[in-house]
Amino acid sequence: MVDAKMLNKMSSAPGFIAALDQSGGSTPGALRLYGVSDTDYQGDEEMFRLVHAMRVRIMSAPAFTGEKVIGAILFERTMDGDVDGEPVPSYLWEKRGVVPFLKIDKGLNAEENGVQTMKPMPDLDALLIRGREKGIFGTKMRSVIAHADKGGIAAVVEQQFQVARQIIGQGLMPIIEPEVSIKSPTKEQAEAILRDEIAERLDKLPAGEKVMLKLTIPTVADFYAPLVAHKSVIRVVALSGGYSTADACEKLSRNHGMIASFSRALAENLRVSMSDADFNASIAATIDQIYAASVNKS
């Protein structure tokens, strides 16, 4: 069973989820945005040490608390790391009041039928058990939709829900993430197919089973309102998808019931060269901006 206090916070508390889960493929880009060039480190171990230091700086900033940041999605190495000698999941929940999630997917298959499904996860049960033992509340897994291909989108959603059932079986809360690319020439049409496919599978979930959804901000405001209201969904969160912080927040503010789960948009204005005072002031301002878009709907 999922942790009741964490479930209550994730179900009803105002705020948003910070996505701190850049993995091997996206880490160099995240570091470049932070002001760390590819020539500033050698090898994966040094790269991951630097990105962990960036994440620790974010997580330990005074404004990064459960008052506005209700959850954080972690890369596996971040879950296994520490902040000031304390394991990251327990630090987040016990010291900051932030619910910890774990990114579990192992990357994407090559595009087929306009989509990229997730690569196999043969060791998933072991990872889920380890995460649960470390205090992880839920998980996140990402697929990508590039075109409005009904067969491809159905395959993505079917895979997501199959894995979600496995996650639920291990006592964790799944975040289902079938991302529609913001560059898709058929984005609006893909979203229509996706909404119907998700709704069909939500209706088939056994009584009492709950999931979260992480979706690209839709072209049409409030398009995902039926999913927000579904009895089997505890929260619908929005990915920034490459939009700037300002654009992502403006688009999100028009979607009632959706809260942010931003990665790039959260760290957009942070730089390694900043003093602690400037860094903390910058992340505080961004947290306020994302919180407002998540909570204050016109």
Side-chain angles (χ1 to χ4, degrees):
M1 293 291 291
V2 296
D3 183 281
K5 289 183 178 179
M6 292 185 186
L7 177 61
N8 181 62
K9 180 151 199 169
M10 198 47 55
S11 301
S12 58
F16 69 94
I17 297 174
L20 306 175
D21 60 330
Q22 300 94 343
S23 55
S26 56
T27 300
L31 285 173
R32 283 184 219 112
L33 185 65
Y34 187 48
V36 178
S37 72
D38 296 358
T39 58
D40 289 335
Y41 57 88
Q42 292 185 335
D44 285 353
E45 288 304 315
E46 181 70 2
M47 176 183 74
F48 286 123
R49 185 189 68 77
L50 289 168
V51 80
H52 183 70
M54 178 186 79
R55 290 167 177 155
V56 168
R57 205 175 183 193
I58 291 170
M59 290 184 288
S60 58
F64 196 91
T65 73
E67 181 182 351
K68 294 180 178 176
V69 184
I70 59 174
I73 303 171
L74 308 175
F75 179 46
E76 185 178 347
R77 282 175 175 253
T78 310
M79 176 187 75
D80 292 333
D82 63 75
V83 181
D84 296 331
E86 183 164 354
V88 169
S90 59
Y91 172 84
L92 284 171
W93 180 240
E94 295 169 15
K95 297 292 179 65
R96 314 299 273 178
V98 175
V99 177
F101 290 82
L102 174 65
K103 167 189 159 64
I104 59 165
D105 67 81
K106 302 301 181 184
L108 300 168
N109 290 313
E111 184 176 318
E112 185 176 353
N113 297 325
V115 304
Q116 289 178 273
T117 55
M118 296 180 290
K119 290 182 177 178
M121 294 174 270
D123 302 319
L124 179 57
D125 278 326
L127 178 60
L128 296 174
I129 292 168
R130 191 158 63 84
R132 190 180 66 227
E133 291 173 347
K134 286 177 173 284
I136 292 293
F137 168 74
T139 64
K140 189 215 81 161
M141 50 193 173
R142 173 177 172 261
S143 312
V144 172
I145 297 165
H147 299 282
D149 183 294
K150 183 172 173 56
I153 294 172
V156 158
V157 176
E158 180 63 25
Q159 183 189 42
Q160 285 275 343
F161 273 82
Q162 284 180 353
V163 178
R165 297 294 306 284
Q166 186 176 353
I167 293 160
I168 292 168
Q170 290 292 354
L172 296 170
M173 175 62 62
I175 299 179
I176 290 169
E177 184 186 12
E179 174 183 349
V180 177
S181 171
I182 65 170
K183 297 178 181 178
S184 172
T186 54
K187 180 174 181 286
E188 188 173 347
Q189 297 93 319
E191 288 163 350
I193 298 169
L194 178 63
R195 186 180 70 176
D196 290 347
E197 292 289 340
I198 291 174
E200 180 181 338
R201 285 160 182 79
L202 288 173
D203 289 342
K204 294 177 181 177
L205 283 178
E209 290 195 359
K210 307 283 187 181
V211 300
M212 295 174 62
L213 302 173
K214 181 168 180 174
L215 305 172
T216 307
I217 303 169
T219 302
V220 177
D222 284 334
F223 187 73
Y224 292 129
L227 304 181
V228 172
H230 198 283
K231 60 182 175 56
S232 296
V233 176
I234 71 161
R235 214 78 186 242
V236 177
V237 304
L239 57 98
S240 51
Y243 291 127
S244 68
T245 307
D247 284 348
C249 286
E250 190 278 326
K251 293 176 187 297
L252 177 61
S253 68
R254 293 188 265 119
N255 287 271
H256 298 78
M258 289 185 79
I259 65 171
S261 177
F262 292 171
S263 173
R264 178 176 177 175
L266 175 67
E268 181 180 79
N269 297 316
L270 304 178
R271 300 293 180 270
V272 66
S273 58
M274 285 177 162
S275 67
D276 287 344
D278 287 345
F279 183 95
N280 291 338
S282 180
I283 190 68
T286 301
I287 286 172
D288 286 345
Q289 184 180 8
I290 298 173
Y291 177 84
S294 296
V295 175
N296 301 328
K297 310 289 187 179
S298 58

